[in-house]
């Protein structure tokens, strides 16, 4: 994958661990981390669907909100958000507005949609994050899908319950 590195794989796998933790807390298996240019983890965020059934509490959206509240623009512009799955259109918009300069994701939105089907708790949008970012006025680098089989494994048996 162009632009991907061992560092990207390392941090992406850490986002998978956050997704597993999210599942153990009764939420959907999505997680992300925001990493500074120096390699320091700045934010970890699990999916927050439960207990309120909040369909906007995606891990990436929650991370972007926290990033806006706690980190400066210069830090965010050089930061990377690592996500277990491709950010949906809502999350990509939040990442863009937060000013996070780079995104690396595991499971593609297309593949996620084939796994979840028409599950009422994940009515996946068929809009790749690259298209959302491309419509903006500042660039957002995107790497993914990366380690997609590992990312997909997080969802085995989840959406058929």
């Amino acid at each position: 994958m162009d632009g991907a590195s061992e560092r990207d794989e390392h941090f992406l796998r850490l986002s998978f661990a956050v997704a597993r933790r999210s599942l153990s807390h009764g939420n959907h298996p999505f997680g992300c981390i925001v990493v500074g240019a120096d390699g320091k983890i700045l934010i970890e965020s699990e999916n927050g669907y439960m207990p309120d059934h909040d369909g906007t509490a995606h891990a990436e959206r929650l991370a972007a909100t926290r990033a806006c509240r706690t980190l400066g623009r210069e830090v965010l512009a050089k930061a990377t958000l690592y996500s277990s799955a491709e950010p949906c259109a809502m999350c990509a918009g939040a990442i863009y507005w937060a000013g996070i300069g780079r995104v690396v994701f595991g499971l593609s939105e297309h593949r996620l949609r084939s796994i979840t089907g028409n599950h009422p708790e994940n009515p996946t949008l068929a809009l790749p994050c690259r298209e959302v970012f491309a419509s903006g006025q500042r660039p957002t680098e995107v790497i993914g899908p990366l380690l997609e089989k590992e990312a997909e494994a997080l969802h085995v048996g989840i959406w058929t319950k």
Side-chain angles (χ1 to χ4, degrees):
M1 175 75 41
D2 287 336
S5 66
E6 286 182 25
R7 172 181 160 138
D8 287 336
E9 290 183 3
H10 167 75
F11 285 120
L12 189 56
R13 285 187 172 111
L14 291 180
S15 80
F16 298 168
V18 175
R20 283 190 289 278
R21 191 173 69 220
S22 178
L23 187 60
S24 76
H25 291 150
N27 277 299
H28 300 140
F30 299 101
C32 72
I33 60 174
V34 178
V35 178
D38 62 357
K40 180 181 174 192
I41 296 175
L42 305 171
I43 294 172
E44 287 189 11
S45 184
E46 299 176 20
N47 178 272
Y49 180 74
M50 295 300 284
D52 300 321
H53 300 277
D54 182 352
T56 68
H58 294 186
E60 303 91 340
R61 205 270 309 150
L62 295 171
T65 297
R66 186 167 164 210
C68 285
R69 294 176 177 166
T70 61
L71 302 170
R73 286 191 178 274
E74 290 182 15
V75 171
L76 291 170
K78 296 177 183 171
T80 300
L81 184 142
Y82 292 90
S83 181
S84 61
E86 181 174 359
C88 72
M90 173 185 68
C91 292
I95 292 163
Y96 173 81
W97 283 108
I100 297 169
R102 187 167 181 264
V103 172
V104 177
F105 68 86
L107 186 63
S108 70
E109 188 80 5
H110 175 76
R111 184 71 191 119
L112 177 64
R113 187 178 184 134
S114 72
I115 294 166
T116 63
N118 64 350
H119 195 285
E121 293 179 5
N122 195 39
T124 305
L125 295 164
L127 180 59
C129 70
R130 283 178 174 87
E131 290 184 33
V132 175
F133 294 131
S135 68
Q137 296 183 44
R138 69 173 162 259
T140 304
E141 181 183 357
V142 179
I143 305 294
L146 183 65
L147 305 175
E148 193 166 29
K149 289 199 183 302
E150 290 179 42
E152 184 176 346
L154 297 165
H155 297 269
V156 171
I158 301 301
W159 303 102
T160 56
K161 293 178 182 176

